[in-house]
Amino acid sequence: MADGDSTRSVRAGRPAAEQHAPELPGPTFAAHYHLAGEATGPYTYGRDANPTWTLLEDAISELEGGGATTVFPSGMAAVSAALFSLVASGDTVVMPDDCYQTTRALRERLESYGVHVRTAPTAGDAQLDVLDGARLVWLETPSNPGLDVCDIKRIAAAAHEAGALVAVDNTLATPLGQRVLDLGADLAVASDTKSLTGHGDLLLGHVTTRDAALAQAVRTWRKTVGAIPGPMEAWLAHRSLATLALRLDRQTANALALATALREHPLVSGLRYPGLPDDPAHAVAAAQMRRFGCVVSFTLPSQAAAERFLAASRLVTEATSFGSVHSSAERRARWGGDAVPPGFIRFSCGVEDTADLVADVLQALDAAR
Ligand SMILES: *Cc1c(COP(=O)(O)O)cnc(C)c1O
């Protein structure tokens, strides 16, 4: 019988037991390693490889269900590595028009290099209609912040048929929420700043692929642009992985309880959570996801109501980002750039006791009236 997710989380990437050695070796701080004679690996220079990265990369690969992982100092460094290492001038990239806004901001940069960019919404697998001649198809599901979902298996099959590679930004779900490589993606990409590390205390990202040539391209990109994570962040991330399944289980339970409590609330409209049985994304999400994530989104009647709600909560920090053990929320429109109403709230459920969190949100909604 295969190990369960919590067993896999606590064991992932941990080296074999060695007498008098710690379970997880501490971070290696090194710009260079002793290297006499010929320049042979694995560890030569600090920009190329680091043993602390290696342990974390092995751990993430295990959770992704196999493949080779390259870690980066942020999610955007990972997104950029996947995009820029695999496309060249004249290629076509297909992107969602509702994905993470900084990913969308790369469009201009790609176009300035002579890459053609086509976009289509995540919902309804709309990217199927614009695959023709593409080199790379970018998916983000569930999408941030709108929480629409697309069918990875279906789009990957069509994209491969059309000769395109498929990358999925799996930030929201994490590999314990959905295994995008098993669903047919060529690359799993994520901001590990969010749910994967889950404490709101570091930035990190990764790219995992089972294709050796793609892995080499991504790794060479990291080395040549120098987008390398700090050993301390990599070590903290690995330490945090041990509780991944525990955290996600509580966060997912909190998200479902919160979404359920908000369903009939008079102040709430546009409620979205892919785990809600009547959510428009639920059928596709249920077929490909094992956990529906910690993010719930909804709209309050106005900017003022949203601000009153955020100010009145005791347990919810007003902050951007998501996935932390502490619940947080924000009025997303304050940033501009997303097609959301002024009262739109992106809510990230932490690991607080479910009853406490739901009660706090309901009292904050009362105060927002
Ligand atoms: C946050 C986020 C990113 C970028 O990650 P950083 O770690 O902030 O650079 C990319 N994609 C999605 C879906 C995100 O939520």
Side-chain angles (χ1 to χ4, degrees), residues 6 28 40 51 84 118 124 126 140 149 220 241 258 282 303 369:
S6 216
T28 298
T40 53
F84 290 106
R118 284 187 215 134
E140 182 183 300
V149 166
T220 302
L241 283 187
L258 179 64
H282 183 71
Q303 170 171 346
R369 265 176 220 271

Side-chain angles (χ1 to χ4, degrees), residues 97-112:
D97 59 21
D98 52 352
C99 68
Y100 182 63
Q101 59 169 277
T102 315
T103 302
R104 275 184 276 129
L106 290 175
R107 175 181 192 152
E108 244 176 78
R109 174 73 46 192
L110 286 163
E111 287 175 343
S112 78

Side-chain angles (χ1 to χ4, degrees), residues 206-233:
H206 77 268
V207 178
T208 306
T209 174
R210 295 175 185 165
D211 180 306
L214 296 183
Q216 192 53 51
V218 170
R219 201 159 270 267
T220 302
W221 172 266
R222 181 176 68 182
K223 171 179 165 146
T224 49
V225 305
I228 57 166
M232 191 67 205
E233 280 78 3

Side-chain angles (χ1 to χ4, degrees), residues 74-76 79 100 140 144 169 171 191 193-194 203-204 322:
S74 69
M76 282 316 301
V79 169
Y100 182 63
E140 182 183 300
N144 170 17
D169 183 333
T171 298
S191 167
T193 310
K194 316 287 171 57
L203 283 92
L204 207 83
F322 60 85

Side-chain angles (χ1 to χ4, degrees), residues 265-286:
H265 198 283
L267 233 49
V268 169
S269 64
L271 176 69
R272 293 299 304 269
Y273 182 61
L276 270 183
D278 55 356
D279 187 274
H282 183 71
V284 179

